[in-house]
Amino acid sequence: MRDFWNTALRDLGKIGIAYISVTVGVWVVFMIIIPQLIMFDYSLRPMLPLRELGGPKDVWTLKNYLVFFTNRLHMAIFFKTIWSSLIVTLVALSICYPIAFYLAKVARGAKVGLLMLGLIIPYWINELLRLFAWQIILADMGILNQLLIFLGIIADPINFRMGNGAVILGMTYAYILFMVFPIYNVMESLDKNQLDAARDLGASWPRIHYKIVMPHAKPGIAVGCTMTFMLAAGTVAAPQLLGSPSSFWFTQVINTNFECANWNLGAAYATVLMLLCVVFMFMMLKLFKVGLKELTQ
Amino acid sequence: MGQDVELLDVSMRFGEVYAARDINVHIQAGEFFSFLGPSGCGKTTLLRLISGFMDPSEGQIKIGGKDMRGIGSNNRPTAMIFQNLALFPLMTVEENIGFGLEVRHVSKAKRTKKVEELIELVDLYGTGGRMVSELSGGQKQRVAIARALAVNPAVLLLDEPLSALDLRLRNHMRAELRNIQRRTDVTFIYITHDQTEALTMSDRVGVMSIGKVEQVAEPDVIYNTPKTAFVASFVGETNIIQGDIIRIDGDYALLKTAWGSFFCKNPQHITKGETATIFIRPETVFLAEESTAENVLACRTKTISFEGAYAVVTLTTEQDQLFTMRLNNDGSVPKLQEGEQIKVRFSRKNAFVLKNGGTPIA
């Protein structure tokens, strides 16, 4: 601790230390701790008319959480959200792993830059607008249906937005970068000679990926999966814009609660969702045998 | 058992640039063969062509008489030891060594036995369960050798694997490599820019300059009778004097230089009137006696560095050119002072004249 303090003093000076402490402190306290505590407090109180706030009925209770655990529809939506987010994560992983490998170990020079640009350009446009674009593509008389009809593959337009398909597609598209970059980053640091060595020793390509590339890329895969899962489970835009009544997302339930002025129930549901994400993160760490420290690299 | 490797008119082009051009070498089965050359001469390219990471633009590579075109590195009877070793850091020593067998679906029992044998061969007892990162430089070296030998290669390709070691360990590993090569009878193809390494370990050496093989011969032949000016100046220390051939006398030529006129061997049979370069090894230069008349050089000592068994003396002439000699510490040599005027001589048998050109940038 003393060493840490001395090094910091030497490198940053007193003003530097004060500046960093204050900014980080403000950020942690006002952006993370206080809002979460307020939400948590809300979630533990019953919804009351204004005049009864602070009165004898305004006490901490687990009633809001009980509502969640006894409402079968909301439970079903919750588990469906987990399941669909897992699918989004898996689809994104299977698309992004080859992209990341190609970018990190196969492509050279200008090609890398071009591909990177191709990946990033869509992100210059707001997420909502991108989702609207998918709405247009997938609409009953949208581009995709018109193309398929023009090519004579189908006679009548398909309703692509039935079920979860459109939402999963839209989310996968929206979160590709969050999967590609962590994996790309770790793959970059893989020594290409190791691939050559494995090849030279007689390994096939699937084998090289399984034995050499994947173990090396594990921290990146864990980060990518965690981020994608959290984003997918926590977004409200994609299900709202691309979803159908049958693809109701848990975030939409939370949103409805807030819109119906039942902040307390909404806060309880939001806490449940946050707990889910934390649990998922630790499960990923366990699954990939990665430490919290490696995750942040 | 080793197999022979034939390079037939092999060329490798990257865009417009030739990394290797018209290479013709026949490496014998069970031979320890070194490609020696400065960095950028194309020797690593040659190794990667033999190992199958790429196919030559032109020409043919045969291993054990079989054309290798189109056969990937995973299906060639070769194994490579990389310059940075490229050990798998997430695997233990045993897993590293057994990797080639595992991917060939060799049974666990057989694999364990082979790995044990190899650990014994390369003298790595007791490290089998350790991670590669816990090993010393020399031990890593041995793991790389064992891993490559595990797949029973007919040809082992080594890309300057000793360059990262300190001098003592390097000397030790040289002897070790030579020893392992003799015991396993595998063909070793070794790439290096270190002439001592090439000369001490190899049965034969191929000296390369930019993309070309200049001479292929036994180490002593390379050193004593280099075929080109490049080989003469790249391998070993040498003194260089430019001059014009003014007379041909059988196998010898007389050259007129700024330092005087000298007789020397003329292996390339250069004709009278041409400008050429004389090469003289420092250890073939001696102090001249009064009676010596031929190949005498008057000069002044500049620096004398005593190295124990011998002393390296740098000499300058009136033209301010440098010349070195190596005097054995056998008691017959008087103690020299710096700045002293002396006369040195060399035998016409030990000097040779070669065509200009192709000298490496020192």
Side-chain angles (χ1 to χ4, degrees), chain A residues 191 193-204 207 211-212 215-216, chain B residues 48 53 73-74 79-80 82 84 86-90 100 102 104 147:
Chain A
D191 174 15
N193 282 337
Q194 281 190 29
L195 304 180
D196 283 344
R199 186 86 182 138
D200 190 49
L201 290 167
S204 61
R207 198 100 183 154
K211 298 287 290 186
I212 311 290
H216 180 88
Chain B
R48 294 182 74 84
F53 291 122
S73 57
N74 54 334
M80 177 130 152
F82 291 76
N84 70 351
L87 297 176
F88 306 129
L90 301 174
E102 194 193 330
R104 275 154 215 241
R147 185 179 72 174

PDB file of all heavy atoms in Angstrom, chain A residues 191 193-204 207 211-212 215-216, chain B residues 48 53 73-74 79-80 82 84 86-90 100 102 104 147:
ATOM      1  N   ASP A 191       0.870 -15.562 -31.354  1.00  0.00           N
ATOM      2  CA  ASP A 191       2.032 -15.667 -32.234  1.00  0.00           C
ATOM      3  C   ASP A 191       1.692 -16.561 -33.422  1.00  0.00           C
ATOM      4  O   ASP A 191       1.308 -17.705 -33.260  1.00  0.00           O
ATOM      5  CB  ASP A 191       3.188 -16.272 -31.418  1.00  0.00           C
ATOM      6  CG  ASP A 191       4.400 -16.546 -32.273  1.00  0.00           C
ATOM      7  OD1 ASP A 191       4.464 -16.029 -33.405  1.00  0.00           O
ATOM      8  OD2 ASP A 191       5.279 -17.293 -31.805  1.00  0.00           O
ATOM      9  N   ASN A 193       3.545 -17.951 -35.460  1.00  0.00           N
ATOM     10  CA  ASN A 193       4.397 -19.140 -35.535  1.00  0.00           C
ATOM     11  C   ASN A 193       3.766 -20.341 -34.842  1.00  0.00           C
ATOM     12  O   ASN A 193       4.034 -21.479 -35.210  1.00  0.00           O
ATOM     13  CB  ASN A 193       5.751 -18.866 -34.889  1.00  0.00           C
ATOM     14  CG  ASN A 193       6.648 -18.072 -35.805  1.00  0.00           C
ATOM     15  OD1 ASN A 193       6.458 -18.085 -37.023  1.00  0.00           O
ATOM     16  ND2 ASN A 193       7.595 -17.372 -35.234  1.00  0.00           N
ATOM     17  N   GLN A 194       2.936 -20.069 -33.840  1.00  0.00           N
ATOM     18  CA  GLN A 194       2.283 -21.182 -33.150  1.00  0.00           C
ATOM     19  C   GLN A 194       1.319 -21.902 -34.066  1.00  0.00           C
ATOM     20  O   GLN A 194       1.198 -23.124 -34.020  1.00  0.00           O
ATOM     21  CB  GLN A 194       1.548 -20.667 -31.924  1.00  0.00           C
ATOM     22  CG  GLN A 194       2.509 -20.421 -30.796  1.00  0.00           C
ATOM     23  CD  GLN A 194       1.783 -20.151 -29.516  1.00  0.00           C
ATOM     24  OE1 GLN A 194       0.677 -20.622 -29.297  1.00  0.00           O
ATOM     25  NE2 GLN A 194       2.405 -19.370 -28.677  1.00  0.00           N
ATOM     26  N   LEU A 195       0.638 -21.131 -34.911  1.00  0.00           N
ATOM     27  CA  LEU A 195      -0.256 -21.750 -35.886  1.00  0.00           C
ATOM     28  C   LEU A 195       0.559 -22.573 -36.879  1.00  0.00           C
ATOM     29  O   LEU A 195       0.210 -23.702 -37.203  1.00  0.00           O
ATOM     30  CB  LEU A 195      -1.065 -20.682 -36.636  1.00  0.00           C
ATOM     31  CG  LEU A 195      -1.886 -19.721 -35.769  1.00  0.00           C
ATOM     32  CD1 LEU A 195      -2.631 -18.728 -36.650  1.00  0.00           C
ATOM     33  CD2 LEU A 195      -2.856 -20.493 -34.911  1.00  0.00           C
ATOM     34  N   ASP A 196       1.668 -21.972 -37.340  1.00  0.00           N
ATOM     35  CA  ASP A 196       2.541 -22.689 -38.273  1.00  0.00           C
ATOM     36  C   ASP A 196       3.102 -23.948 -37.628  1.00  0.00           C
ATOM     37  O   ASP A 196       3.166 -25.006 -38.251  1.00  0.00           O
ATOM     38  CB  ASP A 196       3.698 -21.784 -38.725  1.00  0.00           C
ATOM     39  CG  ASP A 196       3.246 -20.773 -39.767  1.00  0.00           C
ATOM     40  OD1 ASP A 196       2.160 -20.965 -40.338  1.00  0.00           O
ATOM     41  OD2 ASP A 196       3.975 -19.789 -39.998  1.00  0.00           O
ATOM     42  N   ALA A 197       3.513 -23.814 -36.364  1.00  0.00           N
ATOM     43  CA  ALA A 197       4.104 -24.960 -35.668  1.00  0.00           C
ATOM     44  C   ALA A 197       3.081 -26.084 -35.549  1.00  0.00           C
ATOM     45  O   ALA A 197       3.387 -27.252 -35.826  1.00  0.00           O
ATOM     46  CB  ALA A 197       4.602 -24.539 -34.293  1.00  0.00           C
ATOM     47  N   ALA A 198       1.857 -25.734 -35.168  1.00  0.00           N
ATOM     48  CA  ALA A 198       0.820 -26.751 -35.013  1.00  0.00           C
ATOM     49  C   ALA A 198       0.526 -27.415 -36.356  1.00  0.00           C
ATOM     50  O   ALA A 198       0.394 -28.637 -36.461  1.00  0.00           O
ATOM     51  CB  ALA A 198      -0.451 -26.124 -34.451  1.00  0.00           C
ATOM     52  N   ARG A 199       0.476 -26.595 -37.398  1.00  0.00           N
ATOM     53  CA  ARG A 199       0.229 -27.099 -38.750  1.00  0.00           C
ATOM     54  C   ARG A 199       1.362 -28.051 -39.145  1.00  0.00           C
ATOM     55  O   ARG A 199       1.136 -29.128 -39.663  1.00  0.00           O
ATOM     56  CB  ARG A 199       0.178 -25.902 -39.708  1.00  0.00           C
ATOM     57  CG  ARG A 199      -0.213 -26.244 -41.120  1.00  0.00           C
ATOM     58  CD  ARG A 199      -1.706 -26.255 -41.278  1.00  0.00           C
ATOM     59  NE  ARG A 199      -2.092 -26.622 -42.618  1.00  0.00           N
ATOM     60  CZ  ARG A 199      -3.098 -27.442 -42.887  1.00  0.00           C
ATOM     61  NH1 ARG A 199      -3.803 -27.970 -41.914  1.00  0.00           N
ATOM     62  NH2 ARG A 199      -3.407 -27.737 -44.130  1.00  0.00           N
ATOM     63  N   ASP A 200       2.578 -27.591 -38.875  1.00  0.00           N
ATOM     64  CA  ASP A 200       3.768 -28.352 -39.237  1.00  0.00           C
ATOM     65  C   ASP A 200       3.805 -29.703 -38.521  1.00  0.00           C
ATOM     66  O   ASP A 200       4.304 -30.688 -39.051  1.00  0.00           O
ATOM     67  CB  ASP A 200       5.008 -27.521 -38.874  1.00  0.00           C
ATOM     68  CG  ASP A 200       6.276 -28.120 -39.436  1.00  0.00           C
ATOM     69  OD1 ASP A 200       6.287 -28.443 -40.630  1.00  0.00           O
ATOM     70  OD2 ASP A 200       7.246 -28.269 -38.684  1.00  0.00           O
ATOM     71  N   LEU A 201       3.255 -29.741 -37.309  1.00  0.00           N
ATOM     72  CA  LEU A 201       3.243 -30.990 -36.551  1.00  0.00           C
ATOM     73  C   LEU A 201       2.088 -31.898 -36.975  1.00  0.00           C
ATOM     74  O   LEU A 201       1.881 -32.953 -36.397  1.00  0.00           O
ATOM     75  CB  LEU A 201       3.163 -30.700 -35.051  1.00  0.00           C
ATOM     76  CG  LEU A 201       4.438 -30.082 -34.454  1.00  0.00           C
ATOM     77  CD1 LEU A 201       4.161 -29.537 -33.068  1.00  0.00           C
ATOM     78  CD2 LEU A 201       5.561 -31.101 -34.417  1.00  0.00           C
ATOM     79  N   GLY A 202       1.326 -31.446 -37.973  1.00  0.00           N
ATOM     80  CA  GLY A 202       0.323 -32.327 -38.566  1.00  0.00           C
ATOM     81  C   GLY A 202      -1.110 -32.042 -38.180  1.00  0.00           C
ATOM     82  O   GLY A 202      -2.006 -32.817 -38.502  1.00  0.00           O
ATOM     83  N   ALA A 203      -1.366 -30.935 -37.478  1.00  0.00           N
ATOM     84  CA  ALA A 203      -2.728 -30.665 -37.038  1.00  0.00           C
ATOM     85  C   ALA A 203      -3.581 -30.115 -38.173  1.00  0.00           C
ATOM     86  O   ALA A 203      -3.101 -29.344 -38.986  1.00  0.00           O
ATOM     87  CB  ALA A 203      -2.708 -29.665 -35.881  1.00  0.00           C
ATOM     88  N   SER A 204      -4.853 -30.530 -38.212  1.00  0.00           N
ATOM     89  CA  SER A 204      -5.788 -29.981 -39.190  1.00  0.00           C
ATOM     90  C   SER A 204      -6.270 -28.624 -38.684  1.00  0.00           C
ATOM     91  O   SER A 204      -6.081 -28.300 -37.519  1.00  0.00           O
ATOM     92  CB  SER A 204      -6.979 -30.922 -39.336  1.00  0.00           C
ATOM     93  OG  SER A 204      -7.630 -31.039 -38.088  1.00  0.00           O
ATOM     94  N   ARG A 207      -8.621 -28.589 -35.694  1.00  0.00           N
ATOM     95  CA  ARG A 207      -7.818 -28.986 -34.538  1.00  0.00           C
ATOM     96  C   ARG A 207      -6.987 -27.813 -34.015  1.00  0.00           C
ATOM     97  O   ARG A 207      -6.868 -27.604 -32.818  1.00  0.00           O
ATOM     98  CB  ARG A 207      -6.883 -30.109 -35.013  1.00  0.00           C
ATOM     99  CG  ARG A 207      -6.319 -30.882 -33.908  1.00  0.00           C
ATOM    100  CD  ARG A 207      -7.084 -32.167 -33.736  1.00  0.00           C
ATOM    101  NE  ARG A 207      -6.536 -32.851 -32.598  1.00  0.00           N
ATOM    102  CZ  ARG A 207      -7.220 -33.702 -31.880  1.00  0.00           C
ATOM    103  NH1 ARG A 207      -8.457 -33.968 -32.187  1.00  0.00           N
ATOM    104  NH2 ARG A 207      -6.647 -34.306 -30.868  1.00  0.00           N
ATOM    105  N   LYS A 211      -7.342 -26.484 -30.315  1.00  0.00           N
ATOM    106  CA  LYS A 211      -6.245 -26.671 -29.361  1.00  0.00           C
ATOM    107  C   LYS A 211      -5.405 -25.410 -29.121  1.00  0.00           C
ATOM    108  O   LYS A 211      -4.804 -25.257 -28.072  1.00  0.00           O
ATOM    109  CB  LYS A 211      -5.292 -27.791 -29.847  1.00  0.00           C
ATOM    110  CG  LYS A 211      -5.918 -29.149 -29.963  1.00  0.00           C
ATOM    111  CD  LYS A 211      -6.184 -29.776 -28.607  1.00  0.00           C
ATOM    112  CE  LYS A 211      -4.910 -30.182 -27.900  1.00  0.00           C
ATOM    113  NZ  LYS A 211      -5.196 -30.914 -26.662  1.00  0.00           N
ATOM    114  N   ILE A 212      -5.314 -24.542 -30.124  1.00  0.00           N
ATOM    115  CA  ILE A 212      -4.396 -23.406 -29.999  1.00  0.00           C
ATOM    116  C   ILE A 212      -5.144 -22.067 -29.964  1.00  0.00           C
ATOM    117  O   ILE A 212      -4.967 -21.281 -29.043  1.00  0.00           O
ATOM    118  CB  ILE A 212      -3.387 -23.373 -31.185  1.00  0.00           C
ATOM    119  CG1 ILE A 212      -2.735 -24.736 -31.391  1.00  0.00           C
ATOM    120  CG2 ILE A 212      -2.357 -22.268 -30.983  1.00  0.00           C
ATOM    121  CD1 ILE A 212      -1.771 -25.164 -30.338  1.00  0.00           C
ATOM    122  N   PRO A 215      -8.182 -21.731 -26.969  1.00  0.00           N
ATOM    123  CA  PRO A 215      -7.662 -21.544 -25.607  1.00  0.00           C
ATOM    124  C   PRO A 215      -7.020 -20.174 -25.423  1.00  0.00           C
ATOM    125  O   PRO A 215      -7.161 -19.545 -24.384  1.00  0.00           O
ATOM    126  CB  PRO A 215      -6.618 -22.652 -25.467  1.00  0.00           C
ATOM    127  CG  PRO A 215      -7.037 -23.698 -26.428  1.00  0.00           C
ATOM    128  CD  PRO A 215      -7.659 -22.974 -27.582  1.00  0.00           C
ATOM    129  N   HIS A 216      -6.333 -19.708 -26.470  1.00  0.00           N
ATOM    130  CA  HIS A 216      -5.698 -18.399 -26.368  1.00  0.00           C
ATOM    131  C   HIS A 216      -6.746 -17.287 -26.342  1.00  0.00           C
ATOM    132  O   HIS A 216      -6.588 -16.290 -25.628  1.00  0.00           O
ATOM    133  CB  HIS A 216      -4.744 -18.200 -27.558  1.00  0.00           C
ATOM    134  CG  HIS A 216      -4.049 -16.882 -27.534  1.00  0.00           C
ATOM    135  ND1 HIS A 216      -2.867 -16.682 -26.869  1.00  0.00           N
ATOM    136  CD2 HIS A 216      -4.386 -15.690 -28.068  1.00  0.00           C
ATOM    137  CE1 HIS A 216      -2.511 -15.425 -26.997  1.00  0.00           C
ATOM    138  NE2 HIS A 216      -3.412 -14.797 -27.727  1.00  0.00           N
TER     139      HIS A 216
ATOM    140  N   ARG B  48      11.073 -22.336 -45.365  1.00  0.00           N
ATOM    141  CA  ARG B  48       9.605 -22.367 -45.405  1.00  0.00           C
ATOM    142  C   ARG B  48       9.102 -23.071 -46.669  1.00  0.00           C
ATOM    143  O   ARG B  48       8.013 -23.622 -46.675  1.00  0.00           O
ATOM    144  CB  ARG B  48       9.030 -20.954 -45.296  1.00  0.00           C
ATOM    145  CG  ARG B  48       9.304 -20.321 -43.942  1.00  0.00           C
ATOM    146  CD  ARG B  48       8.687 -18.954 -43.816  1.00  0.00           C
ATOM    147  NE  ARG B  48       7.246 -19.013 -43.641  1.00  0.00           N
ATOM    148  CZ  ARG B  48       6.647 -19.207 -42.463  1.00  0.00           C
ATOM    149  NH1 ARG B  48       7.361 -19.357 -41.375  1.00  0.00           N
ATOM    150  NH2 ARG B  48       5.350 -19.253 -42.378  1.00  0.00           N
ATOM    151  N   PHE B  53       5.159 -24.409 -46.021  1.00  0.00           N
ATOM    152  CA  PHE B  53       4.289 -23.276 -45.706  1.00  0.00           C
ATOM    153  C   PHE B  53       3.969 -22.507 -46.974  1.00  0.00           C
ATOM    154  O   PHE B  53       3.020 -21.757 -47.039  1.00  0.00           O
ATOM    155  CB  PHE B  53       4.933 -22.360 -44.665  1.00  0.00           C
ATOM    156  CG  PHE B  53       5.030 -22.992 -43.320  1.00  0.00           C
ATOM    157  CD1 PHE B  53       6.250 -23.138 -42.686  1.00  0.00           C
ATOM    158  CD2 PHE B  53       3.889 -23.487 -42.700  1.00  0.00           C
ATOM    159  CE1 PHE B  53       6.327 -23.744 -41.443  1.00  0.00           C
ATOM    160  CE2 PHE B  53       3.972 -24.094 -41.452  1.00  0.00           C
ATOM    161  CZ  PHE B  53       5.192 -24.223 -40.830  1.00  0.00           C
ATOM    162  N   SER B  73       2.157 -28.428 -45.251  1.00  0.00           N
ATOM    163  CA  SER B  73       3.177 -28.667 -44.227  1.00  0.00           C
ATOM    164  C   SER B  73       2.743 -29.752 -43.245  1.00  0.00           C
ATOM    165  O   SER B  73       3.575 -30.410 -42.638  1.00  0.00           O
ATOM    166  CB  SER B  73       3.470 -27.376 -43.471  1.00  0.00           C
ATOM    167  OG  SER B  73       2.274 -26.875 -42.906  1.00  0.00           O
ATOM    168  N   ASN B  74       1.421 -29.948 -43.109  1.00  0.00           N
ATOM    169  CA  ASN B  74       0.975 -30.977 -42.162  1.00  0.00           C
ATOM    170  C   ASN B  74       1.135 -32.389 -42.713  1.00  0.00           C
ATOM    171  O   ASN B  74       1.004 -33.357 -41.974  1.00  0.00           O
ATOM    172  CB  ASN B  74      -0.484 -30.721 -41.748  1.00  0.00           C
ATOM    173  CG  ASN B  74      -1.413 -30.610 -42.935  1.00  0.00           C
ATOM    174  OD1 ASN B  74      -0.980 -30.240 -44.023  1.00  0.00           O
ATOM    175  ND2 ASN B  74      -2.666 -30.942 -42.741  1.00  0.00           N
ATOM    176  N   ALA B  79       9.794 -31.531 -39.949  1.00  0.00           N
ATOM    177  CA  ALA B  79       9.356 -30.828 -38.744  1.00  0.00           C
ATOM    178  C   ALA B  79      10.275 -29.635 -38.582  1.00  0.00           C
ATOM    179  O   ALA B  79      11.454 -29.710 -38.907  1.00  0.00           O
ATOM    180  CB  ALA B  79       9.415 -31.730 -37.531  1.00  0.00           C
ATOM    181  N   MET B  80       9.689 -28.560 -38.100  1.00  0.00           N
ATOM    182  CA  MET B  80      10.460 -27.320 -38.059  1.00  0.00           C
ATOM    183  C   MET B  80      10.660 -26.860 -36.623  1.00  0.00           C
ATOM    184  O   MET B  80       9.766 -27.001 -35.790  1.00  0.00           O
ATOM    185  CB  MET B  80       9.678 -26.258 -38.834  1.00  0.00           C
ATOM    186  CG  MET B  80      10.303 -24.902 -38.814  1.00  0.00           C
ATOM    187  SD  MET B  80      10.418 -24.264 -40.486  1.00  0.00           S
ATOM    188  CE  MET B  80      10.346 -22.538 -40.193  1.00  0.00           C
ATOM    189  N   PHE B  82      11.288 -23.399 -34.807  1.00  0.00           N
ATOM    190  CA  PHE B  82      11.179 -21.987 -35.155  1.00  0.00           C
ATOM    191  C   PHE B  82      12.202 -21.148 -34.411  1.00  0.00           C
ATOM    192  O   PHE B  82      12.657 -21.518 -33.332  1.00  0.00           O
ATOM    193  CB  PHE B  82       9.773 -21.480 -34.835  1.00  0.00           C
ATOM    194  CG  PHE B  82       8.727 -22.062 -35.734  1.00  0.00           C
ATOM    195  CD1 PHE B  82       8.279 -23.364 -35.557  1.00  0.00           C
ATOM    196  CD2 PHE B  82       8.212 -21.322 -36.774  1.00  0.00           C
ATOM    197  CE1 PHE B  82       7.333 -23.903 -36.398  1.00  0.00           C
ATOM    198  CE2 PHE B  82       7.253 -21.852 -37.614  1.00  0.00           C
ATOM    199  CZ  PHE B  82       6.818 -23.141 -37.432  1.00  0.00           C
ATOM    200  N   ASN B  84      11.747 -18.428 -32.801  1.00  0.00           N
ATOM    201  CA  ASN B  84      11.274 -18.094 -31.446  1.00  0.00           C
ATOM    202  C   ASN B  84      10.692 -19.324 -30.748  1.00  0.00           C
ATOM    203  O   ASN B  84       9.967 -19.208 -29.778  1.00  0.00           O
ATOM    204  CB  ASN B  84      10.273 -16.945 -31.495  1.00  0.00           C
ATOM    205  CG  ASN B  84       8.952 -17.353 -32.123  1.00  0.00           C
ATOM    206  OD1 ASN B  84       8.830 -18.441 -32.675  1.00  0.00           O
ATOM    207  ND2 ASN B  84       7.961 -16.503 -32.030  1.00  0.00           N
ATOM    208  N   ALA B  86       8.217 -21.047 -30.756  1.00  0.00           N
ATOM    209  CA  ALA B  86       6.767 -21.214 -30.927  1.00  0.00           C
ATOM    210  C   ALA B  86       6.225 -22.378 -30.114  1.00  0.00           C
ATOM    211  O   ALA B  86       5.401 -23.156 -30.593  1.00  0.00           O
ATOM    212  CB  ALA B  86       6.399 -21.374 -32.405  1.00  0.00           C
ATOM    213  N   LEU B  87       6.684 -22.492 -28.874  1.00  0.00           N
ATOM    214  CA  LEU B  87       6.103 -23.506 -27.989  1.00  0.00           C
ATOM    215  C   LEU B  87       4.693 -23.052 -27.631  1.00  0.00           C
ATOM    216  O   LEU B  87       4.382 -21.868 -27.679  1.00  0.00           O
ATOM    217  CB  LEU B  87       6.947 -23.637 -26.721  1.00  0.00           C
ATOM    218  CG  LEU B  87       8.372 -24.120 -26.952  1.00  0.00           C
ATOM    219  CD1 LEU B  87       9.138 -24.122 -25.640  1.00  0.00           C
ATOM    220  CD2 LEU B  87       8.392 -25.498 -27.572  1.00  0.00           C
ATOM    221  N   PHE B  88       3.846 -24.016 -27.241  1.00  0.00           N
ATOM    222  CA  PHE B  88       2.476 -23.659 -26.885  1.00  0.00           C
ATOM    223  C   PHE B  88       2.435 -23.285 -25.407  1.00  0.00           C
ATOM    224  O   PHE B  88       2.589 -24.148 -24.551  1.00  0.00           O
ATOM    225  CB  PHE B  88       1.529 -24.814 -27.197  1.00  0.00           C
ATOM    226  CG  PHE B  88       1.637 -25.297 -28.617  1.00  0.00           C
ATOM    227  CD1 PHE B  88       1.821 -26.632 -28.912  1.00  0.00           C
ATOM    228  CD2 PHE B  88       1.577 -24.386 -29.677  1.00  0.00           C
ATOM    229  CE1 PHE B  88       1.931 -27.068 -30.231  1.00  0.00           C
ATOM    230  CE2 PHE B  88       1.685 -24.814 -30.991  1.00  0.00           C
ATOM    231  CZ  PHE B  88       1.864 -26.160 -31.267  1.00  0.00           C
ATOM    232  N   PRO B  89       2.213 -22.009 -25.102  1.00  0.00           N
ATOM    233  CA  PRO B  89       2.376 -21.547 -23.720  1.00  0.00           C
ATOM    234  C   PRO B  89       1.293 -22.060 -22.773  1.00  0.00           C
ATOM    235  O   PRO B  89       1.494 -22.060 -21.567  1.00  0.00           O
ATOM    236  CB  PRO B  89       2.301 -20.022 -23.841  1.00  0.00           C
ATOM    237  CG  PRO B  89       1.552 -19.776 -25.099  1.00  0.00           C
ATOM    238  CD  PRO B  89       1.848 -20.927 -26.008  1.00  0.00           C
ATOM    239  N   LEU B  90       0.156 -22.487 -23.307  1.00  0.00           N
ATOM    240  CA  LEU B  90      -0.922 -22.927 -22.424  1.00  0.00           C
ATOM    241  C   LEU B  90      -0.860 -24.425 -22.157  1.00  0.00           C
ATOM    242  O   LEU B  90      -1.751 -24.989 -21.543  1.00  0.00           O
ATOM    243  CB  LEU B  90      -2.279 -22.552 -23.041  1.00  0.00           C
ATOM    244  CG  LEU B  90      -2.483 -21.054 -23.295  1.00  0.00           C
ATOM    245  CD1 LEU B  90      -3.785 -20.795 -24.025  1.00  0.00           C
ATOM    246  CD2 LEU B  90      -2.481 -20.291 -21.975  1.00  0.00           C
ATOM    247  N   GLY B 100       2.140 -33.302 -31.573  1.00  0.00           N
ATOM    248  CA  GLY B 100       2.163 -33.874 -32.917  1.00  0.00           C
ATOM    249  C   GLY B 100       1.579 -35.275 -32.955  1.00  0.00           C
ATOM    250  O   GLY B 100       0.957 -35.682 -33.932  1.00  0.00           O
ATOM    251  N   GLU B 102      -0.653 -36.429 -30.686  1.00  0.00           N
ATOM    252  CA  GLU B 102      -2.062 -36.339 -30.346  1.00  0.00           C
ATOM    253  C   GLU B 102      -2.902 -36.021 -31.589  1.00  0.00           C
ATOM    254  O   GLU B 102      -3.932 -36.639 -31.820  1.00  0.00           O
ATOM    255  CB  GLU B 102      -2.255 -35.255 -29.278  1.00  0.00           C
ATOM    256  CG  GLU B 102      -3.609 -35.307 -28.612  1.00  0.00           C
ATOM    257  CD  GLU B 102      -3.885 -34.060 -27.795  1.00  0.00           C
ATOM    258  OE1 GLU B 102      -2.919 -33.462 -27.285  1.00  0.00           O
ATOM    259  OE2 GLU B 102      -5.063 -33.693 -27.678  1.00  0.00           O
ATOM    260  N   ARG B 104      -2.209 -36.695 -34.478  1.00  0.00           N
ATOM    261  CA  ARG B 104      -2.167 -37.848 -35.392  1.00  0.00           C
ATOM    262  C   ARG B 104      -2.924 -39.037 -34.826  1.00  0.00           C
ATOM    263  O   ARG B 104      -2.792 -40.162 -35.301  1.00  0.00           O
ATOM    264  CB  ARG B 104      -0.716 -38.251 -35.642  1.00  0.00           C
ATOM    265  CG  ARG B 104      -0.090 -37.449 -36.758  1.00  0.00           C
ATOM    266  CD  ARG B 104       1.397 -37.375 -36.604  1.00  0.00           C
ATOM    267  NE  ARG B 104       1.846 -36.068 -37.060  1.00  0.00           N
ATOM    268  CZ  ARG B 104       2.682 -35.904 -38.070  1.00  0.00           C
ATOM    269  NH1 ARG B 104       3.191 -36.940 -38.681  1.00  0.00           N
ATOM    270  NH2 ARG B 104       3.024 -34.702 -38.446  1.00  0.00           N
ATOM    271  N   ARG B 147       9.700 -31.788 -29.299  1.00  0.00           N
ATOM    272  CA  ARG B 147       8.386 -31.691 -29.932  1.00  0.00           C
ATOM    273  C   ARG B 147       8.485 -31.984 -31.431  1.00  0.00           C
ATOM    274  O   ARG B 147       7.636 -32.643 -32.008  1.00  0.00           O
ATOM    275  CB  ARG B 147       7.815 -30.284 -29.718  1.00  0.00           C
ATOM    276  CG  ARG B 147       6.412 -30.122 -30.236  1.00  0.00           C
ATOM    277  CD  ARG B 147       5.875 -28.738 -29.982  1.00  0.00           C
ATOM    278  NE  ARG B 147       6.515 -27.748 -30.835  1.00  0.00           N
ATOM    279  CZ  ARG B 147       6.135 -26.469 -30.893  1.00  0.00           C
ATOM    280  NH1 ARG B 147       5.157 -26.040 -30.137  1.00  0.00           N
ATOM    281  NH2 ARG B 147       6.755 -25.619 -31.691  1.00  0.00           N
TER     282      ARG B 147
END
